[in-house]
Amino acid sequence: AGAMASTPAVHWPPRLLAAAVTLSVVHGQTQRLLGLATDRHDQSASLMDTKLLTLSPFLMAHDAGSGYLGEGLVNAWTKTQSGGLRQQLDCGARAFDARPTMHPKYGLIWHHGIVNIHHRFEMSLVDIMHWCEAHPSELVLLMISQCAGTGCLQAVRAVFAKHNVRDLRECDTLGDLTYADATAQAALPMGGSLLAVTGPPTQSWGG
C-alpha cells in the first residue's frame, strides 16, 4: 500500500493563538456564570413555590380600574394609574385592587368612590387572561373590594364563572395556601394563572 499523505501542520500566529485561548477561557467563565445564574433562579423559584401566598411579595396596583379614566379635572384627581390593567401588568403589577360597580344603565363597570369608570369589568378580565396566556409562568391576583351597586358581587362572580376563573370566597382558605398551590388552583385553560378573591376580609387578616 502507498504511504499515507501527512497532514500539514498549522502554525497559528502568536497573537491569534493568544486571542483564541482568551476566547476559550472567557467562554468557559460565561458558561459557568450562566450555570450559576440558572441554579440560583431554580433555587429562588423553588423557595417561592413553597412560600405561603400571604407572605409572597406582589406589586399591587391601587384602584386599578382608574387607569381607564380619560382627561378632565375630576378624573385628574381620581386617576391613580396611567393605563388599563393589561398595561399595568406590562409595567410589573401582579395584583390588582379591583373596585367594580353594578351600574343600572351600563352594567358591571369600575368605580373610584363616587366616580364611575365606563369600562366593562368583563373586558378588563379578558385582557388579563390574554396577558396570562402570553406569560404562562405568572400568577396574577385580582382582589375584589368595595363592590358597589345592587347585585354587584353576584355579577362579578358570574363573570368569573363564565371565564373559568378561580374565585376564593373564603379568605380563611388563604392561610395555608402556598404560592405553588395558588398557581395550580388558579391555572387558566388558555395558560397562566389568575386567582380572584371575592371573600370578605376576616379579623385574623386585619379587617
Side-chain angles (χ1 to χ4, degrees):
M4 294 181 61
S6 60
T7 303
V10 177
H11 298 286
W12 290 41
R15 290 184 180 179
L16 184 58
L17 180 61
V21 172
T22 302
L23 181 61
S24 176
V25 172
V26 170
H27 176 73
Q29 291 176 340
T30 301
Q31 291 298 103
R32 179 175 174 273
L33 290 173
L34 287 174
L36 289 174
T38 301
D39 290 343
R40 289 175 182 173
H41 174 76
D42 291 342
Q43 291 171 5
S44 299
S46 178
L47 290 173
M48 191 68 174
D49 285 344
T50 58
K51 196 169 188 176
L52 289 175
L53 181 65
T54 53
L55 299 179
S56 301
F58 283 85
L59 183 61
M60 175 178 274
H62 169 69
D63 218 319
S66 67
Y68 296 111
L69 284 169
E71 303 296 328
L73 181 61
V74 174
N75 288 349
W77 283 98
T78 307
K79 193 172 183 176
T80 63
Q81 305 298 332
S82 59
L85 270 63
R86 186 163 186 166
Q87 287 75 26
Q88 293 171 41
L89 286 166
D90 287 336
C91 288
R94 293 297 180 270
F96 295 110
D97 166 25
R99 307 182 187 189
T101 183
M102 192 63 180
H103 193 279
K105 180 178 180 181
Y106 300 107
L108 191 62
I109 57 175
W110 297 89
H111 78 96
H112 184 172
I114 62 172
V115 177
N116 290 319
I117 303 164
H118 298 285
H119 186 90
R120 288 176 56 212
F121 179 86
E122 186 173 4
M123 289 180 63
S124 301
L125 183 69
V126 171
D127 280 345
I128 297 173
M129 294 176 68
H130 284 312
W131 187 92
C132 288
E133 181 181 14
H135 301 81
S137 64
E138 297 286 354
L139 169 63
V140 177
L141 303 181
L142 193 58
M143 318 294 288
I144 303 298
S145 67
Q146 303 184 36
C147 202
T150 303
C152 178
L153 189 56
Q154 292 85 349
V156 167
R157 287 173 170 169
V159 171
F160 290 152
K162 175 182 176 181
H163 293 280
N164 297 308
V165 172
R166 179 80 165 92
D167 171 22
L168 283 183
R169 303 186 179 190
E170 299 293 336
C171 287
D172 283 337
T173 60
L174 290 171
D176 299 322
L177 196 65
T178 66
Y179 184 92
D181 290 338
T183 301
Q185 291 183 23
L188 295 169
M190 59 200 306
S193 297
L194 172 58
L195 180 64
V197 180
T198 62
T202 60
Q203 188 173 0
S204 60
W205 296 112

